[in-house]
Amino acid sequence: MVKAEASQVFGDLRTGRPRAFSRAISWVENGAPQASALLEQVYAQAPHPWVVGITGVGGAGKSSLVPHLARRLAEDGTRIAVLAVDPSSPLTGGALLGDRIRDANGEQHPRVFFRSVATRGGQGGLATCVADLVRVAAAAGHEIVLIETVGAGQSELGILQVAHTVLLVNAPGLGDDVQAQKAGVMEVADVLAVNKADRPGALDTAASLRQALQLSEREAHMRPGANALPDGAVHWHPPVLATVALTGQGVQELCDTLREHRAVLERQGRLAELNRLHDLRRMQSYFMEVVQQRLQARIASLALADRLEAELAGGQGDPLAAARLLADAVLENQATR
Ligand SMILES: Nc1nc2c(ncn2[C@@H]2O[C@H](COP(=O)(O)OP(=O)(O)OP(=O)(O)O)[C@@H](O)[C@H]2O)c(=O)[nH]1
Ligand SMILES: [Mg+2]
C-alpha cells in the first residue's frame, strides 16, 4: 500500500506535477512511512542537480536576493527549486510562503518552485533531510536547487555540505564578515556577495572580506597537500561581488559568476567527485541511522534493559556500567544470530 502510493507519487514527480513534489517533500520532512519507499526510487533514478547553497547572517538580504537569482537562472528554460531552510525555527515553514516565487505583479513563475522546509529533524537530522530533498527536487525535473539557510552555526555547515557552490551573502553594517569567519562559513564560500551595495560602507565590507579571504587562502596554502589540483587546473579564488537585492542590480553578474564556478568544477572533474562524496556521506549517515534504530529495537526487547532501568530509577547502579552491560548484551546477541 505504502509502496504503491510511493510509486504513484514518484511517477507523478517524474512528469513534473508540482502537487506530487509538494507531497513528496512533506513525506520526507515528516519521516512518513512512504518516504523510504519513495527515496529508494529517487536515489536509484534521479540525477544529481547543481546545488547552490546560500548563506549569511540574518538581515543580509538572502531572501530578497534569492527570487532574483532564481528568476535569472530560469531564464534559459532551466527549472529551479528553492528550498528555504531555517534551522532555528523548524516548524514555521511549510507552505506559508506559497510554493512558487511570485514576480513583481504577483504572478507565479512557471519554472521556479519555492518551498520553506519545515522538518522535525527526524532521525537523521536536518542536513540529511535536505540532502534527500535535493534529490527529490531533481526527480521532479529541477536541474538547479538553491538552498537558502541562515548562516550562524554548525547546522548550516551541515546543510551546506550538499552544495557544489556556496554563496555567502553579506551586507554593510552587520559585522558579518567576522561572524561568518567564526562559523567557518568563510572557508566554504565559493562566491561572496556584498548586498545592500546602495548603502554606505559597502566598499569597506567588500575590502574587509577580501582581506579575510586572502588570510584564509594563505593558511590553506600552507597545509600539506594543498595545491594538489589536476594538470592545467586553475585555483578558484572566491570573488566578492556587489548586489542590491531591492533593484536586482548586480544579480546578472552574480549568476554568471555562480555558473562560472560550476563550469570550473565540471572541467576539473570536481562536480562528479562531489556527487560521489555526497552519496558516500548520505550512505554513512543513513547507515548510522539504521543501525541505531535496529539496536534500539533490540534493546527494547531485552529483559536486562528493564532490570537496569528499574535499578537506575530506584537510585541504584552506575549509568555507565549499565550502558556497557547493555552494549555487550546487544552486540553479542547480534553476533550469534
Ligand atoms: N537598502 C537595501 N535593503 C535591502 C537590500 N536587500 C534587502 N534589503 C532589506 O534588508 C532587510 C532584510 O532582508 P532579507 O532578505 O529578509 O534578509 P535575510 O538575509 O533573508 O534575513 P534572515 O531571513 O533574517 O536571515 C529587508 O528589510 C530588505 O528589504 C538591498 O540591497 N538594499
Ligand atoms: Mg531570509
Side-chain angles (χ1 to χ4, degrees):
M1 182 61 203
V2 163
K3 260 206 147 101
E5 205 182 344
S7 287
Q8 170 78 45
V9 165
F10 182 73
D12 288 349
L13 260 187
R14 302 290 272 172
T15 57
R17 297 204 185 143
R19 200 166 288 180
F21 187 30
S22 281
R23 195 142 174 236
I25 288 177
S26 303
W27 284 350
V28 173
E29 277 176 339
N30 300 321
Q34 296 92 333
S36 55
L38 176 81
L39 287 172
E40 222 170 82
Q41 300 194 53
V42 163
Y43 275 101
Q45 294 179 49
H48 285 271
W50 173 36
V51 184
V52 181
I54 298 147
T55 190
V57 285
K62 298 176 295 295
S63 302
S64 312
L65 207 51
V66 161
H68 286 285
L69 264 182
R71 265 197 296 270
R72 289 275 175 160
L73 289 167
E75 265 170 11
D76 64 358
T78 306
R79 293 176 61 199
I80 320 277
V82 180
L83 304 174
V85 187
D86 184 352
S88 60
S89 57
L91 287 174
T92 56
L96 270 185
L97 291 162
D99 279 348
R100 302 269 182 131
I101 282 180
R102 285 160 202 280
D103 65 21
N105 308 320
E107 301 270 314
Q108 291 186 340
H109 192 292
R111 288 188 304 280
V112 180
F113 183 98
F114 182 95
R115 176 74 181 232
S116 290
V117 177
T119 175
R120 298 196 181 115
Q123 279 279 330
L126 192 56
T128 61
C129 174
V130 173
D132 291 340
L133 292 179
V134 160
R135 295 297 284 280
V136 169
H142 301 94
E143 290 161 71
I144 304 180
V145 179
L146 303 182
I147 299 173
E148 179 195 340
T149 179
V150 179
Q154 286 306 309
S155 49
E156 294 73 36
L157 286 176
I159 292 162
L160 292 174
Q161 283 192 341
V162 303
H164 303 98
T165 302
V166 173
L167 166 64
L168 178 60
V169 182
N170 298 271
L174 296 173
D176 37 8
D177 41 348
V178 179
Q179 283 182 39
Q181 241 181 322
K182 265 192 207 148
V185 175
M186 196 78 176
E187 280 76 11
V188 299
D190 300 301
V191 178
L192 292 89
V194 176
N195 187 47
K196 306 193 188 180
D198 55 319
R199 292 246 183 109
L203 284 177
D204 289 346
T205 302
S208 73
L209 283 173
R210 287 196 183 99
Q211 203 174 11
L213 279 170
Q214 274 170 4
L215 279 178
S216 71
E217 216 165 90
R218 216 171 294 156
E219 277 170 24
H221 279 215
M222 290 193 307
R223 272 180 226 130
N227 292 324
L229 279 174
D231 282 348
V234 287
H235 254 297
W236 176 265
H237 299 284
V240 181
L241 303 168
T243 57
V244 181
L246 293 185
T247 61
Q249 187 190 317
V251 173
Q252 184 61 57
E253 200 186 352
L254 184 57
C255 279
D256 293 344
T257 307
L258 293 171
R259 282 211 172 97
E260 207 178 304
H261 181 254
R262 182 192 193 279
V264 166
L265 288 180
E266 195 153 28
R267 274 206 301 280
Q268 296 179 347
R270 288 275 297 148
L271 211 55
E273 198 181 301
L274 282 170
N275 286 337
R276 284 195 296 271
L277 181 71
H278 296 163
D279 277 352
L280 190 66
R281 271 203 210 110
R282 189 68 192 95
M283 191 268 280
Q284 287 164 341
S285 71
Y286 189 62
F287 168 77
M288 293 310 288
E289 209 176 305
V290 172
V291 166
Q292 196 175 347
Q293 276 169 5
R294 292 198 187 166
L295 288 180
Q296 265 160 358
R298 192 164 288 275
I299 289 170
S301 72
L302 287 180
L304 176 67
D306 291 338
R307 184 164 65 73
L308 291 171
E309 271 173 33
E311 277 177 17
L312 286 174
Q316 291 174 332
D318 160 7
L320 301 184
R324 263 196 302 273
L325 271 177
L326 266 183
D328 287 345
V330 169
L331 295 174
E332 256 166 42
N333 229 336
Q334 292 281 104
T336 53
R337 280 186 76 115

